Amino acid sequence: MGFLAATVWAAPAAQGWPRLLVLLVVAVLLLAVVAIAVRRLWPVFGRSRAEPSRAEILRERDEHLKLALWASGEHFWDFDLVSKRMHRLRADENGPHTAEIAVLTRKSDMPTIHEQDLPLVKQRLRSHLQGETPIFVSEHRMDLDGNGSWVWVRARGRIVERDLGGRPVRIAGTARDITATRNAEYEHRIASEVMRSMSEAVAVLDWNQNFIAVNKAFARITGYAEDEVIGQPASLLDSRQHEEDSTARMLGGLQQDGSWSGEAWKVRKDREEILCRLEINVVPDASGLRRLYVLVLNDITEQKRAEQELRYLANYDTLTSLPNRSLLSERLSRAIVRARRENGRVAVLFIDLDRFKDINDSLGHATGDRILRAAAARVQQTVGAQHTVARLSGDEFTVVVEDIGSSREAEDIAQRIITAFKQPLSFGDGLELSVSPSIGISLYPDHAQVPTDLLKHADTAMYQAKAAGRHTYQLYSEKMDEKTRHRAILANALRRALERNELSLVYQPRMSLKQQRITGVEALLRWHSKEFGEVSPGQFIPLAEESGLILEIGAWVLREALLTLRQWHELGLQHLIVSVNVSALQLQRGDLADVVARTLAETGMTAAHLELELTESVIMANPETNADTLRACRRLGVSLAIDDFGTGYSSLAYLKRLPLTTLKIDQEFVGDLTHDVDDEAITSTIINMGHSLLLNVVAEGVETAAQLQFLHDHGCDEIQGHWISHALGADACLQFICKHGPGPTAAHAMP
Ligand code: C2E
Ligand code: MG
Ligand code: MG
């Protein structure tokens, strides 16, 4: 260049035109030089733009790495085994262009591996370093950020550098947070385990409603093994019982809400129909484009059957299979609604078996149940299947008769039932037993408008039938309510009877046939009410028992009877004994022996002069406890008589176990002696039987000399009844005993 410039500036020595030519040549030369220079320098400029520098290349690679790490979510790590330094590189979550590079030099900076996973990680690393595995792979928990939150990491790496001796000095690789994947896998594992172990059948259907997966329970419930249904249409399980509209409803539900649940009949492989509870949910398939159906199916056939049984139990009596009270009310209500619409009439018959409690207590509950079943069948047979026969409780049955024209028709049906029961009930194995019903009748609309009142009135009428001597029917009338009210008023008046001194005792003498003298008296209670006049014990004793007053009254009777007897004894009639009637409640209380002992002590009488009379039904009301109480009384030395014998159903074997001393034959048999051969046979049998049990046998209700003769001839020990004397007041009785009683004592005792 220097050279060229010198040449140009030497040129002014030339002259005119030649000078211009020289200038032109110099300019051309200069251009050429520039062009050459530019050409020479061009590659330098060109490379700086098209071919990057080494630093640029490194930066670019670094960018790529960050991008790759960011996109893949991987971390990069590089561990110097000699210096124990680790380099870590990971992309920032927010974008590929910012990245965090960590060079960890101190042990405390290293991300912590979970102590449970550490041994395994070390072992895998060792295996790789020792050349046993081509690659180091490990899944373990790490606290990457040092903030105590553990994440699952899958690390992969391999040896990237060895020393001259071939020993590994560097290992590098990537790591990825796989917590979410592991959780998903875990959930998936749980889900499939749940599906596998579910007791409900689970099936997955594809978009064409073909089976693609089923669980174990599916095979158990439907009978189809997995390989028998996969690929098959879901209609394989369809039942013919299905109406089309229910399927349409199901599909409609699926379309709209993505789920459907309900009950449907399905068919098992063995063609058995099963009722299923179904739940179908629509889920998108993996592509998200098509629909899969997840079907959960539960066999509820048994459950439904059990529900039906429960419904049956709620409405039917299990013993007789008759409708129970609740179903009766329902049917009666419906019958009334129909009758009201059609101007019709409904009859309610309330049936109660006479003395069933005695039968039940003496023959045992198993026999009692058989009687109830047979009685239920007898009633239903008699009235016909078109009428509702229900069992209300115990031995109470009800018949609802619809469409009856008049009360006469209802009475005819009642009479038919009573007649039907004249035939003994038989139980198949030769056992036969007669029971009689008492029936009360009420009518809609004549007596009441609503079921409860109709039942109440029929019940009242039934009680009147019992009061009328049992084994009969009564049609309800308002007067009956009057009687019921009267009963209530009477019960109230009885409460005050003791304090008002309205109660008294009469005494009926008892005569020994052998000794021909009065041996004792039975104390019988009387109530002379100021309002109601003489009320018979048959009327007021049940009231006293119902109200519990009998305890107080019974204690009074005992005391009063013993006081009277003491007076008589003091007059020299020491051979006389007194019998006192005891009712069920007194015995059931369990303290009868105490009350007796106390009263004996208070009145200064000895137990040997007291006899307690108990009917069979009183004893049998609670046989075990009552037997204990009776034994306690017997230990005191008190005599025990079984009263009204023959009217109950006590088994002899049972009576034998009781500490009885006396047997009183009921006046029902005695009354018919001499004109009823049956009663004669029964009476003589009872006498023999009583004697075989070493009991003193007394016949009650003896009214004629012929009866007395019969009893005498058959060895009866004592008699009691109007033939000897009516029951008399204490003074009159004393006079009677003294007057009629043969023997020295009586004569001696005359005042
Ligand atoms: P019961 O213990 O069997 O008493 C016998 C009943 O037969 C008495 O009736 C008596 O008057 C009656 N009678 C006696 N001889 C004859 C006769 O020849 N012919 C007829 N037709 N009847 C006769 P009453 O006094 O009306 O007593 C009825 C029942 O009331 C008694 O039957 C007894 O079970 C009960 N009773 C009476 N007093 C008491 C008492 O103080 N306590 C308890 N718990 N019950 C009593
Ligand atoms: Mg008696
Ligand atoms: Mg009696």
Side-chain angles (χ1 to χ4, degrees), residues 268-503:
R268 284 172 49 89
K269 188 182 171 189
D270 57 14
R271 310 313 299 158
E272 191 193 324
E273 301 256 343
I274 51 171
L275 184 63
C276 295
R277 165 107 208 136
L278 273 176
E279 228 182 283
I280 308 175
N281 282 293
V282 178
V283 287
D285 72 352
S287 72
L289 300 174
R290 293 200 270 199
R291 294 143 66 95
L292 297 180
Y293 302 91
V294 179
L295 194 142
V296 180
L297 178 149
N298 207 359
D299 178 0
I300 54 166
T301 324
E302 271 311 308
Q303 184 192 328
K304 279 277 152 175
R305 209 167 284 158
E307 276 173 21
Q308 265 167 7
E309 262 168 39
L310 272 181
R311 210 169 303 136
Y312 180 87
L313 284 181
N315 285 306
Y316 289 87
D317 165 43
T318 42
L319 179 69
T320 59
S321 302
L322 291 179
N324 62 12
R325 188 183 284 274
S326 80
L327 187 56
L328 169 84
S329 314
E330 198 185 309
R331 295 213 182 150
L332 185 53
S333 306
R334 278 201 228 129
I336 289 174
V337 169
R338 263 196 300 274
R340 184 179 296 154
R341 208 174 37 227
E342 294 159 15
N343 261 339
R345 188 172 261 136
V346 181
V348 174
L349 274 63
F350 202 108
I351 306 172
D352 189 284
L353 301 181
D354 297 332
R355 298 190 196 277
F356 177 75
K357 196 177 165 341
D358 291 340
I359 304 176
N360 207 28
D361 290 341
S362 50
L363 299 182
H365 287 223
T367 309
D369 286 354
R370 289 166 81 189
I371 292 168
L372 288 176
R373 270 196 294 267
R378 180 72 51 95
V379 175
Q380 185 80 73
Q381 240 167 35
T382 313
V383 301
Q386 72 274 27
H387 298 304
T388 297
V389 178
R391 178 171 172 236
L392 292 195
S393 64
D395 59 337
E396 292 175 344
F397 298 90
T398 306
V399 185
V400 177
V401 189
E402 291 191 57
D403 295 330
I404 56 156
S406 67
S407 59
R408 191 65 256 158
E409 272 180 51
E411 290 180 66
D412 285 347
I413 294 177
Q415 187 52 57
R416 266 184 15 230
I417 295 171
I418 289 170
T419 313
F421 273 87
K422 289 215 163 107
Q423 192 75 13
L425 300 171
S426 56
F427 310 113
D429 46 5
L431 181 62
E432 281 197 344
L433 222 130
S434 286
V435 276
S436 61
S438 292
I439 305 175
I441 307 169
S442 69
L443 299 171
Y444 167 89
D446 312 60
H447 301 136
Q449 307 293 317
V450 293
T452 41
D453 286 352
L454 270 178
L455 279 170
K456 198 174 80 191
H457 292 340
D459 188 21
T460 305
M462 185 275 292
Y463 269 105
Q464 293 304 319
K466 291 245 181 223
R470 299 191 172 103
H471 199 190
T472 182
Y473 68 82
Q474 291 277 312
L475 184 68
Y476 171 80
S477 76
E478 277 177 21
K479 272 197 223 116
M480 290 177 178
D481 280 337
E482 194 52 51
K483 281 188 190 164
T484 315
R485 262 197 297 279
H486 180 72
R487 242 170 98 84
I489 295 167
L490 211 60
N492 222 19
L494 185 61
R495 265 173 233 287
R496 295 188 304 270
L498 258 180
E499 63 202 48
R500 285 183 176 184
N501 280 328
E502 290 178 356
L503 296 181

Side-chain angles (χ1 to χ4, degrees), residues 522-524 580-581 613 643-644 664 700 720:
E522 176 174 3
L524 293 163
V580 172
N581 293 284
E613 291 191 11
D643 201 358
D644 301 347
K664 293 185 85 171
E700 290 186 291
Q720 181 183 334

Side-chain angles (χ1 to χ4, degrees), residues 504-506 508-509 522-526 536-542 545 550 553-554 556-558 579-584 586 613 615 618 643-644 664-667 670 699-704 707 720-727:
S504 61
L505 289 185
V506 289
Q508 186 171 38
E522 176 174 3
L524 293 163
L525 188 57
R526 294 292 175 260
S536 75
Q539 230 183 327
F540 73 80
I541 285 184
E545 282 171 342
I550 194 71
I553 294 176
W556 178 85
V557 170
L558 187 64
S579 295
V580 172
N581 293 284
V582 172
S583 72
Q586 288 171 278
E613 291 191 11
T615 60
V618 166
D643 201 358
D644 301 347
K664 293 185 85 171
I665 306 173
D666 191 71
Q667 51 191 11
V670 178
E700 290 186 291
V702 180
E703 293 178 344
T704 65
Q707 288 165 355
Q720 181 183 334
H722 294 169
W723 193 80
I724 297 167
S725 168
H726 282 80

Side-chain angles (χ1 to χ4, degrees), residues 90-105:
R90 81 167 162 195
D92 191 307
E93 276 300 308
N94 300 324
H97 302 298
T98 50
E100 172 203 312
I101 300 171
V103 180
L104 308 167
T105 47

